[in-house]
Structures are given as structure tokens and as C-alpha cells.
Amino acid sequence: MPATITAIAHYYPEDKLTNKHFESYLDTSDEWIKTRTGINERRIMKNGATSDMIVPAALKCIENAGIDKQEIDCIIVATVTPDHMYPSTAAVVQHKLGIKNVWGFDISAACSGFLFALKTAASLVESGAAKKVLLCGADKMSSILNMNDRNTAILFGDAAGVCLIEKSNDDNYGILDSILHIDGIGGQYLNQKAGGSAHPATKETVENMEHTVYQDGKTVFKYAVKGMADVSKEIMDKNNLTSEDISFLVPHQANLRIISATAERMGVGMDKVMVNIEKYGNTTAATIPLCISEWLEAGKIKKGDNLILSSFGAGFTWGSIYVKWNMNK
Ligand code: COA
């Protein structure tokens, strides 16, 4: 039996940064940001860590699932902004939630973090190694941004999405297929230079802002368009799905132009694409669960819908997962 998503919830901080805010001190404009990225505003967590966004989303998810939190036997956190290098954010979340007999770990796959973690959680459930996995995709990107770099400051935001992964009750519903990739060629184009064992923190690395996101946007854009469009089409073909069969494309929200190019390649109209980048920007591991949770809350997803989840991110990492939705709201 395949694994499936049995509950989902999200959290975003109250504080907003609009494009106008960046206009006030950077050489940029609301118009440039809107037309080049699709972003109008993003949420920023002023106080607290990534785990502090995960916990409220997790509590809501557990409530939506109608389970006792002690039934959860594994916690996975996909993030590139962990509370600490160690302990894992999964351990921090376990402690804050007070879940007793559980194990867990973090996954680092940047903007593909949620998909890589979803595949991992599904494999654990399908093999019988876990029964109820709390799967969290969350990033406090504002903690690693250079707010004076117009190339990156405008792109990202903070949020969390949490879902519960369990065995499906039907062979034909759930997480049905996945194609995932990693290629270290991307390291030079999108990275955080210092803070790891290659370049531990020094006074100089801090002064040079080497603990913040570096991105060669133009190059990443080219790889992202090809990577995300190709893999999304590939998973459709592999599963004999036509564009009519697709209920929703759920793309990682990095740039509206990358999303449109992917939809076009799949032959899917924008009315079938989940887009909320205008409100949140790129929240890295949170974009996909945030979309699904919002669409579900709005009653737009129904049992039997075919969802194609697709992402591209630092590494490079990219991939697609085919989900036949298994629940009504
Ligand atoms: N405001 C105004 N101008 C800006 C700007 C801003 N906020 N940010 C960059 N620019 C400038 C650049 O410096 C460049 O100027 P130059 O030509 O004088 O060097 C110019 O705009 C055009 O830059 P370019 O990189 O061609 O723009 P773009 O159309 O590619 O858009 C990104 C830039 C970053 C929005 C886009 O490249 C992108 O989305 N990249 C991929 C992001 C992504 O998918 N990441 C992966 C997952 S995290």
C-alpha cells in the first residue's frame, strides 16, 4: 500500500515586508520585483526560530488529523535554516511538542527539501519502519539574507508547512510516484559560503556577509526552468497522465516565470497551477505544503485529484512527486 498525506497545516508570521519597503532603501522598484518575480510581499519572523513556526503548524496538523500526538513515531524537518547546526530541528520540535516515543532527523535539500522529505517519509511508511510521520517543511530565510543585496533580499520569506504521512487505505490513492535528482554542479551558483566546516565562522566571514544567501540568479533561473519543466513532464509521461488528467501543478514558488514555463511545458493552464508567491515569496522548504494547505482549506482540492508536486533548488536539487489526493477537507 502506498503512503499518503492524511492531514496538513501551515503557519506564517504576522509581519509583512512589501516591495515598497525595499524601494525605500535599495536600487529596486515594486514594478521590477513584481514583473521579474511575481512577488508583492513576504512574511518575516522578527522573533523566534524555524521551530517556532513549525510548532503552531504541527499542532494544527495534529488537530486536523484527529490523532493523539503520542501516536507520531517519526519527525522529519526539511530546512536550510535549522535552529542550530545541531541538535537537529527535529529534536527541538520533538521537545517543544512533548512527543515521547519518537525518532527523527533533518533533511537538507533547500527548495526541494519538502519533496525529498516526502519521499523519505513515504518510504519509511511503506516499508513499515514508521506508521505516522510528522513531516515539516520550514525556513526562516530572513535569518540568512543580506538585506542590502537587492539580488536576493527581495526573493525570500519565512513560513512553515507540516503534514502527516501514513499508509493509504487504497492502493490507487496516495504518493504514487517520484523522480528526484541531485547535481553538485549547482553549488557554485547558489550557496551560503561560510558557517560550515569548509569555511567556519570568523570575524572576516561575518564582515563579508558570507553567512547569507549567494545566488547567480541568471544561471540558476536557466537551470531551474529546464530542470523543473523536464521533470514535471517526465513524471506525467511515466504515469500516462495527459494535461487533462492533472488537477493541479503544485510548483515550488521561486519565480512566477519559472512556474509559468513549467505549466506551459506540461500543457497545463495557469488555472490549474497553485500560485501564492505574490503573498509569501520563496519560503524554500515551506512553499509546497503552504500551497496545498491553503488550497485544501479553501475547499479547492478533492479526493481523487491528481497533483504534480515539482521543485528546483540549491544543490542543485530537483524533482517531481505524483500524488492522487486521498481525502476531502
Ligand atoms: N531590482 C532591480 N534590479 C535588479 C534586482 C532588483 N531587486 N535584482 C537584480 N537586478 C538587476 C541585476 O543586477 C541585473 O542588472 P545588470 O544587467 O546590470 O547586471 C538585471 O537586474 C537583470 O538581472 P537578471 O538576472 O537578468 O534578472 P532576471 O530576469 O534573471 O531576474 C531573478 C532575477 C533573481 C529574479 C531571477 O534570475 C531568478 O528568479 N532566478 C532564479 C531563482 C531561483 O529559482 N532560485 C532557485 C530556488 S531558490
Side-chain angles (χ1 to χ4, degrees), residues 53-318:
M53 295 190 291
I54 293 175
V55 166
L59 290 171
K60 185 86 203 323
C61 178
I62 291 164
E63 186 192 326
N64 289 348
I67 60 160
D68 178 343
K69 65 184 178 185
Q70 302 304 347
E71 292 175 49
I72 292 165
D73 55 0
C74 182
I75 300 172
I76 304 178
V77 175
T79 188
V80 287
T81 50
D83 286 23
H84 311 279
M85 291 296 284
Y86 62 90
S88 69
T89 303
V92 176
V93 167
Q94 173 276 327
H95 191 62
K96 288 182 175 174
L97 289 174
I99 300 174
K100 298 259 176 343
N101 293 311
V102 63
W103 69 297
F105 50 89
D106 290 1
I107 283 184
S108 169
C111 296
S112 300
F114 183 77
L115 292 198
F116 281 32
L118 184 60
K119 170 72 180 174
T120 306
S123 304
L124 290 173
V125 165
E126 282 158 19
S127 73
K131 285 198 168 65
K132 287 183 167 54
V133 181
L134 192 72
L135 170 52
C136 319
D139 273 294
K140 185 186 172 187
M141 292 306 290
S142 61
S143 67
I144 55 165
L145 287 179
N146 175 355
M147 286 299 185
N148 291 314
D149 177 7
R150 70 173 185 175
N151 292 295
T152 51
I154 56 132
L155 297 174
F156 297 94
D158 304 337
V162 174
C163 57
L164 188 70
I165 308 299
E166 298 179 81
K167 211 163 246 184
S168 179
N169 54 7
D170 187 321
D171 255 340
N172 300 310
Y173 290 82
I175 299 150
L176 297 185
D177 197 14
S178 63
I179 306 173
L180 302 173
H181 295 287
I182 186 165
D183 186 345
I185 196 173
Q188 61 195 299
Y189 306 117
L190 181 49
N191 58 52
Q192 185 178 318
K193 297 202 182 314
S197 57
H199 301 289
T202 63
K203 191 163 159 281
E204 285 71 35
T205 63
V206 173
E207 279 167 3
N208 295 334
M209 300 300 282
E210 288 174 8
H211 300 266
T212 60
V213 176
Y214 164 79
Q215 178 170 240
D216 171 350
K218 219 175 271 193
T219 306
V220 174
F221 186 89
K222 279 187 207 143
Y223 276 100
V225 165
K226 182 163 169 36
M228 220 163 97
D230 281 357
V231 79
S232 305
K233 182 75 173 75
E234 191 186 343
I235 204 159
M236 279 174 70
D237 293 346
K238 196 175 157 210
N239 290 280
N240 297 315
L241 295 168
T242 67
S243 50
E244 282 76 46
D245 298 324
I246 308 291
S247 311
F248 287 107
L249 164 65
V250 193
H252 170 56
Q253 314 276 309
N255 188 311
L256 188 55
R257 290 179 292 141
I258 299 172
I259 295 172
S260 313
T262 302
E264 197 177 314
R265 181 74 191 285
M266 295 167 75
V268 166
M270 286 305 283
D271 56 320
K272 286 186 175 183
V273 184
M274 293 190 194
V275 178
N276 60 14
I277 190 173
E278 71 284 359
K279 293 191 287 182
Y280 308 114
N282 181 351
T283 57
T284 304
T287 61
I288 289 175
L290 178 56
C291 275
I292 296 175
S293 179
E294 283 201 331
W295 260 250
L296 193 67
E297 258 184 21
K300 293 184 199 161
I301 311 177
K302 56 182 191 315
K303 188 168 178 178
D305 276 353
N306 288 316
L307 311 186
I308 301 292
L309 285 43
S310 297
S311 69
F312 190 92
F316 293 128
T317 54
W318 70 105

Side-chain angles (χ1 to χ4, degrees), residues 19 22-24 26-30 32-33 150 154:
N19 293 346
F22 293 102
E23 240 180 31
S24 70
L26 286 177
D27 182 13
T28 189
S29 67
D30 178 35
W32 192 95
I33 300 171
R150 70 173 185 175
I154 56 132

Side-chain angles (χ1 to χ4, degrees), residues 12 52 252:
Y12 47 77
D52 295 312
H252 170 56

